[in-house]
Amino acid sequence: ERSAFVTTLSGTKLPVPTVVALNGVAAGAGASLSLTGDITVGARSASLTFVFAPKLGLAPDMGATYFLARRIGEARARAYALTGASIPAEEAARIGLIAECVDDERVMERAHELARGLAAGPRDAFLAVRELMARAGTSTLAEQLELEAAAQARLGDSPDFLEGVAAFREKRPAKFGKR
């Protein structure tokens, strides 16, 4: 049960890509959850803080150590987890903790724009990207090339790929299948 929760939390079991809008202060578990999406967009006034250890005497949870270390490296992750320092959204975007930072009044608009684009796109290809990115941190280059080749082979005969090629040739936007 716990491993099912963890894989769902990390997005690997969700059947669609996800977008998170970060608006306000995300502290502790809220900061951890803000990093679970495939794409996280932050409002300029938003911030993250991992207060578990310095303020509560607890170790980070909800995937904080996993997401922090993978996104920004162990040295920075360790520093933020030990100090509980606030990370403004602009800094979070600059260091790769979130995908982008936008003006406050645009955060929901931008998140919805991204979600609509993902919903209209080639879902199986997007899910392959998610899986490949998740494996990249622990695979050798040779293993990653094999994983990529397997994904290409699997997706190469899909209706979405055929539509993408047709749209490219016809110089029009692709209209990927409905799910």
Side-chain angles (χ1 to χ4, degrees):
E1 293 165 347
R2 178 117 172 104
S3 66
F5 171 73
V6 170
T7 55
T8 300
L9 176 67
S10 67
T12 58
K13 294 290 185 188
L14 295 175
V16 293
T18 58
V19 177
V20 172
L22 176 62
N23 195 8
V25 176
S32 301
L33 288 173
S34 73
L35 302 179
T36 62
D38 292 302
I39 301 173
T40 301
V41 179
R44 201 162 306 286
S45 66
S47 63
L48 299 101
T49 183
F50 299 88
V51 297
F52 303 97
K55 304 277 188 197
L56 303 173
L58 293 172
D61 68 357
M62 300 295 291
T65 56
Y66 176 84
F67 291 114
L68 277 171
R70 284 181 136 246
R71 290 189 181 192
I72 62 173
E74 186 180 340
R76 275 195 178 131
R78 187 184 306 259
Y80 285 126
L82 290 172
T83 66
S86 180
I87 311 164
E90 287 188 61
E91 173 73 0
R94 188 185 69 72
I95 65 174
L97 192 54
I98 65 173
E100 61 184 273
C101 177
V102 298
D103 291 335
D104 289 15
E105 63 276 1
R106 287 210 59 240
V107 70
M108 291 307 294
E109 174 189 337
R110 179 64 178 140
H112 286 127
E113 179 182 293
L114 287 163
R116 282 191 300 275
L118 292 171
R123 184 188 67 185
D124 292 340
F126 290 161
L127 296 179
V129 168
R130 174 196 287 159
E131 177 65 23
L132 289 166
M133 292 293 179
R135 306 270 306 265
T138 58
S139 296
T140 65
L141 176 58
E143 291 166 338
Q144 197 67 16
L145 290 171
E146 286 181 32
L147 292 168
E148 290 173 355
Q152 293 291 52
R154 187 176 70 252
L155 296 168
D157 291 327
S158 72
D160 282 345
F161 174 70
L162 298 175
E163 167 57 16
V165 170
F168 178 78
R169 286 183 178 154
E170 297 167 17
K171 296 181 177 20
R172 62 171 173 80
K175 295 177 184 162
F176 296 108
K178 303 263 187 229
R179 307 295 169 249

